[in-house]
Amino acid sequence: MSNFYELSEEEKQIIEDTKGKVAEITSEIFMLLNKQFDDTTELERQILATFCFGIINGIVFERDIPPLQAHSITHSLLVAKFNYSEDQAEDFTQELINSTDEEYHPVMFSIIRRGIDGYRQYFNDDKAQLRANIIEVLDIINSESD
């Protein structure tokens, strides 16, 4: 891929297709959980968004998408699917990127890794394992926050 400001039409299409794929997977996750967005707590949204960031990492690695475009994909997901404001999405995106360093935030790092596994599960059409993966993450975090 070329640099961010000089994307070819093909590269722009790959980015848009990836945004669509990420949105599709996110919708599938809510469906697998049998939850509507409005029925989630803020903590659950943050966990799910972090998990989805792991999925984004799996996709961008597979499609060889540069980090700057991955940032854009993440930001778009947080606004479109998780109802964050532009400023909140920007701050959270940066927090997610920072959390790819295990020492920065070990819990978020672990959730991101589980999201990467979740992408593999989705890609392999293993919806039962994907659902179990997400539920386990939510249960662990929810039990620690009680």
Side-chain angles (χ1 to χ4, degrees):
M1 288 205 156
S2 58
N3 76 43
F4 179 73
Y5 297 106
E6 298 176 12
L7 294 176
S8 69
E9 289 305 312
E10 181 182 350
E11 290 168 329
K12 289 177 186 174
Q13 189 60 52
I14 290 169
I15 302 303
E16 289 307 309
D17 289 348
T18 302
K19 287 179 182 179
K21 178 54 92 177
V22 169
E24 175 187 312
I25 294 170
T26 302
S27 294
E28 178 83 17
I29 286 170
F30 277 96
M31 198 166 55
L32 288 171
L33 293 173
N34 199 26
K35 279 193 177 236
Q36 298 295 317
F37 177 82
D38 292 337
D39 296 332
T40 60
T41 66
E42 181 57 30
L43 178 60
E44 289 172 329
R45 290 178 198 144
Q46 290 172 6
I47 294 165
L48 292 170
T50 303
F51 188 92
C52 288
F53 178 71
I55 289 172
I56 290 169
N57 276 273
I59 293 172
V60 300
F61 178 77
E62 175 186 83
R63 296 181 180 189
D64 196 29
I65 297 173
L68 197 51
Q69 281 77 26
H71 181 276
S72 170
I73 293 164
T74 302
H75 181 92
S76 294
L77 174 73
L78 293 175
V79 171
K81 288 295 193 176
F82 289 94
N83 295 337
Y84 286 104
S85 71
E86 292 288 333
D87 288 341
Q88 289 171 322
E90 188 59 36
D91 291 344
F92 195 14
T93 298
Q94 190 57 55
E95 186 72 9
L96 290 165
I97 291 167
N98 293 345
S99 296
T100 60
D101 175 359
E102 186 173 13
E103 292 180 18
Y104 179 80
H105 199 299
V107 173
M108 286 179 72
F109 176 84
S110 295
I111 297 168
I112 293 166
R113 298 295 304 165
R114 295 290 289 265
I116 293 169
D117 290 342
Y119 176 64
R120 181 184 44 75
Q121 293 160 339
Y122 179 86
F123 184 78
N124 292 328
D125 202 31
D126 192 352
K127 303 292 173 57
Q129 267 310 115
L130 176 59
R131 182 177 187 281
N133 184 2
I134 299 163
I135 289 172
E136 184 176 18
V137 170
L138 287 168
D139 287 348
I140 290 168
I141 301 300
N142 280 328
S143 69
E144 290 178 5
S145 68
D146 289 340

